[in-house]
């Protein structure tokens, strides 16, 4: 509903606070990744347009069986192993959405701020989905009933076998949602909590300890991978970088007969370790 307080671009002070707060809220609420739960976010300090993120490395542990054992006969002389690719640079990109609020009929702050916030969240989620193409790709070879679910289990096992022991998350493509829900609704999950919750709420829920989310942005167009079905990954697979969060700029523009509103965020995402995530695909 239009608010008479914002009926003119001359009242920018009254417009700025509600517009910014609601834009930030819409962006955070509608993005799977901006909150940093699925993909951790690194805050880039002011004055820099990039950041370096440590890559999870590994070294071999040595078992000392006697006083004389060890490198060069000295048990305290361990062989030094430096992990490769110890850091990755993430360079920020500026994502911006712009709209003009005309000085006619009053300015509907609620709707316009929601639209601007949704535009920012959609672009962020699109960029993260595109980056998921760099995860280890697993072609679906299972056939018959619950084929996608069986591949899901295989992907979890492959990530664990690669050395990832931490929590995992899964993002299911909207195109594969029906297949997932059909598998959960089958006799394999008969009378289970997972089935009851999924049928009641429409949410896939947690399968094999992995919380599952659905995204329309994980698709063939954004990933560039034919038959994109789902992505399963740990927090060390991908890393996002932001600077200052979502920002809003408002300025009265006479030539537009209204108010220029720009929402923006400095953001980018990179793959840290492709073995800690798998992209399920059905390209065959």
């Amino acid at each position: 509903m239009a608010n008479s307080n914002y009926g003119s671009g001359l009242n920018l002070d009254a417009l700025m606070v509600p517009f910014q707060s609601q834009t930030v809220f819409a962006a955070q609420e509608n993005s799977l990744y901006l909150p940093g739960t699925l993909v951790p976010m690194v805050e880039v300090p002011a004055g820099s347009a990039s950041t370096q993120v440590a890559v999870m490395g590994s070294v071999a542990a040595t078992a000392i069986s006697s006083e004389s054992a060890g490198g060069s006969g000295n048990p305290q002389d361990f062989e030094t192993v430096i992990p490769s690719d110890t850091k990755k640079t993430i360079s920020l990109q500026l994502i911006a959405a712009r709209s003009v609020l005309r000085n006619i009929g009053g300015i509907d702050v609620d709707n316009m701020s929601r639209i601007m916030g949704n535009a920012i969240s959609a672009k962020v989620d699109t960029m993260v989905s595109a980056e998921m193409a760099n995860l280890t790709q697993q072609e679906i070879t299972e056939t018959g009933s619950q084929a996608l679910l069986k591949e899901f289990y295989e992907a979890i096992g492959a990530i664990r076998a690669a050395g990832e022991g931490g929590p995992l998350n899964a993002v299911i493509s909207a195109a594969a949602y029906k297949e997932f829900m059909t598998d959960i609704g089958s006799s394999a999950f008969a009378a289970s909590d997972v089935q009851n919750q999924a049928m009641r709420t429409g949410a896939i829920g947690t399968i094999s300890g992995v919380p599952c989310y659905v995204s329309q942005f994980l698709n063939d167009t954004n990933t560039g991978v034919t038959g994109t079905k789902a992505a399963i990954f740990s927090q060390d697979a991908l890393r996002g970088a932001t600077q200052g969060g979502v920002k809003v700029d408002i300025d009265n523009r006479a030539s537009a007969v209204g108010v220029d509103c720009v929402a923006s965020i400095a953001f980018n995402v990179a793959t840290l370790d492709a073995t800690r995530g798998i992209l399920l695909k059905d390209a065959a």
Side-chain angles (χ1 to χ4, degrees):
M1 182 172 63
N3 190 322
S4 59
N5 291 334
Y6 317 125
S8 169
L10 297 176
N11 196 3
L12 293 184
D13 290 341
L15 175 62
M16 182 66 178
V17 174
F19 191 89
Q20 180 165 9
S21 62
Q22 293 179 53
T23 299
V24 172
F25 178 81
Q28 292 284 340
E29 284 293 301
N30 289 283
S31 174
L32 268 180
Y33 310 110
L34 269 181
T37 304
L38 275 66
V39 177
M41 295 292 166
V42 178
E43 182 67 22
V44 180
S48 177
S50 65
T51 186
Q52 290 186 332
V53 181
V55 176
M56 190 79 163
S58 64
V59 295
T62 302
I64 300 175
S65 58
S66 66
E67 181 66 23
S68 61
S72 304
N74 186 345
Q76 296 179 350
D77 185 13
F78 286 101
E79 186 175 339
T80 301
V81 180
I82 300 176
S84 60
D85 299 328
T86 55
K87 64 181 181 297
K88 181 155 290 189
T89 300
I90 304 178
S91 298
L92 295 175
Q93 294 184 14
L94 188 60
I95 302 170
R98 175 176 173 267
S99 179
V100 175
L101 305 183
R102 302 287 186 189
N103 291 335
I104 182 172
I107 295 174
D108 192 338
V109 175
D110 292 339
N111 281 337
M112 286 311 303
S113 56
R114 178 172 54 85
I115 291 171
M116 299 287 277
N118 288 348
I120 295 296
S121 68
K123 185 61 177 178
V124 168
D125 285 16
T126 296
M127 292 172 66
V128 176
S129 298
E131 188 64 26
M132 287 179 178
N134 293 322
L135 299 177
T136 302
Q137 297 184 15
Q138 176 179 313
E139 178 68 26
I140 293 177
T141 57
E142 291 281 350
T143 57
S145 62
Q146 293 129 30
L148 183 56
L149 205 53
K150 292 175 183 176
E151 291 285 350
F152 187 86
Y153 296 147
E154 183 177 338
I156 294 174
I159 296 173
R160 297 303 188 201
E164 177 56 65
L168 302 178
N169 288 296
V171 177
I172 313 301
S173 72
Y177 173 76
K178 175 184 176 182
E179 189 173 350
F180 249 95
M181 291 296 285
T182 301
D183 288 348
I184 293 174
S186 68
S187 58
F189 288 89
S192 66
D193 291 340
V194 171
Q195 186 180 79
N196 291 336
Q197 181 181 353
M199 296 302 105
R200 184 172 60 252
T201 66
I204 295 175
T206 300
I207 300 177
S208 293
V210 179
C212 299
Y213 306 86
V214 179
S215 174
Q216 73 269 36
F217 301 104
L218 186 67
N219 54 47
D220 296 9
T221 301
N222 291 334
T223 63
V225 177
T226 302
T228 297
K229 296 290 187 181
I232 304 100
F233 52 92
S234 77
Q235 290 194 334
D236 288 318
L238 302 165
R239 190 71 85 248
T242 63
Q243 188 175 66
V246 179
K247 299 185 176 92
V248 173
D249 296 294
I250 296 178
D251 188 31
N252 189 39
R253 186 158 63 94
S255 60
V257 197
V259 181
D260 254 335
C261 296
V262 177
S264 64
I265 184 172
F267 171 82
N268 210 343
V269 62
T271 302
L272 293 188
D273 189 343
T275 65
R276 297 178 187 271
I278 284 182
L279 183 73
L280 287 179
K281 62 176 183 175
D282 190 9

